Amino acid sequence: MSSAVKPVKNLTRKQVYTFFERLREQRPHPTTELNFSSPFELLVAVTLSAQATDVSVNKATDKLFPVANTPEAIYALGVDGLKDYIKTIGLYNSKAENVIKACKILIEKHNSQVPENRADLEALPGVGRKTANVVLNTAFGQPTMAVDTHIFRVGNRTGLAVGKNVLEVEHRLVKVIPKEFIVDAHHWLILHGRYCCIARKPKCYECVVADVCNWPDRFEFGAARQIAVKNIEAES
């Protein structure tokens, strides 16, 4: 079987609606798998998650946040103090420096509050477009789309949003996703990519959107089985 992502046609408007309708039915209340209880905790967690798993970040922040979960408290730890909590995460040296610098800026320029706009977020050390999108969407409910590896793959593979780079995919997704789905779309797509539309052996045989997917190779991975189930459900 070939698991390579081949160029596909973009989904129609009707297919896109059905795509997200199904994902909503499957996960009515999607959310990030990072542990957080405030916009600041989310900002720190997402910053730490670059090139790291959510599981590894949660293990570190579950110890860090009970001790320090405000800009002042984490800044007081200093770079070396913060490293002690996050040293199990990849690139922890640079991440510790960025988080401490970001805390200083939040304290001095934003009254220790996480900004609710892209420009101020992206001005923070260690915060790029993807991190800003996650914070704006998850913490503040803004209709942004953070495109990671999973979402880039799902967009291109299914035909939901075909693009050569993450920015193209992001813009396409924001354009085609109906308003009623846009706020939760990031979480639906990342979870679908993480647990079903995986890179090497996608689980097309259990995919809830197999019948509205345009990936030519989906039948090699059992899509016909799931499509048959959908047809039976539609007739009953």
Side-chain angles (χ1 to χ4, degrees), residues 64-231:
L64 170 64
F65 290 155
V67 175
N69 68 342
T70 65
E72 290 85 355
I74 289 185
Y75 186 71
L77 291 176
V79 173
D80 290 337
L82 180 56
K83 284 181 183 179
D84 287 339
Y85 288 97
I86 67 171
K87 58 188 176 183
T88 56
I89 301 174
L91 306 176
Y92 72 93
N93 285 309
S94 59
K95 289 177 181 178
E97 292 178 1
N98 283 334
V99 169
I100 293 298
K101 290 177 182 177
C103 287
K104 188 174 188 293
I105 294 173
L106 291 176
I107 294 168
E108 295 178 348
K109 295 186 177 182
H110 301 288
N111 196 30
S112 298
Q113 300 299 306
V114 177
E116 296 186 35
N117 67 84
R118 181 185 304 282
D120 286 338
L121 280 171
E122 291 188 9
L124 297 174
V127 178
R129 185 178 182 87
K130 184 174 73 172
T131 297
N133 279 340
V134 173
V135 173
L136 291 172
N137 176 261
T138 304
F140 302 118
Q142 296 186 24
T144 58
M145 177 59 60
V147 178
D148 68 349
T149 302
H150 298 298
I151 295 178
F152 184 79
R153 179 176 63 254
V154 172
N156 276 285
R157 176 183 277 166
T158 64
L160 178 62
V162 178
K164 296 178 181 179
N165 54 58
V166 294
L167 194 58
E168 285 187 10
V169 171
E170 176 188 331
H171 288 163
R172 176 72 183 173
L173 287 171
V174 172
K175 180 180 179 181
V176 303
I177 297 174
K179 289 184 178 179
E180 69 179 278
F181 302 117
I182 191 66
V183 172
D184 290 324
H186 164 74
H187 300 302
W188 281 319
L189 292 176
I190 196 170
L191 292 171
H192 189 65
R194 183 174 290 167
Y195 297 112
C196 183
C197 194
I198 55 182
R200 301 192 65 175
K201 293 183 179 181
K203 301 177 182 179
C204 301
Y205 54 86
E206 64 180 33
C207 178
V208 297
V209 293
D211 57 328
V212 290
C213 172
N214 282 345
W215 188 40
D217 289 352
R218 66 192 186 281
F219 296 107
E220 295 183 33
F221 292 88
R225 189 189 320 171
Q226 183 63 6
I227 291 173
V229 170
K230 284 294 175 186
N231 289 337

Side-chain angles (χ1 to χ4, degrees), residues 14-28 178 180-181 188 208-209 212 230:
K14 183 177 180 180
Q15 285 176 309
V16 171
Y17 189 90
T18 301
F19 193 102
F20 284 98
E21 193 175 40
R22 298 268 182 79
L23 295 185
R24 181 171 62 186
E25 290 173 357
Q26 183 183 44
R27 294 185 174 93
E180 69 179 278
F181 302 117
W188 281 319
V208 297
V209 293
V212 290
K230 284 294 175 186

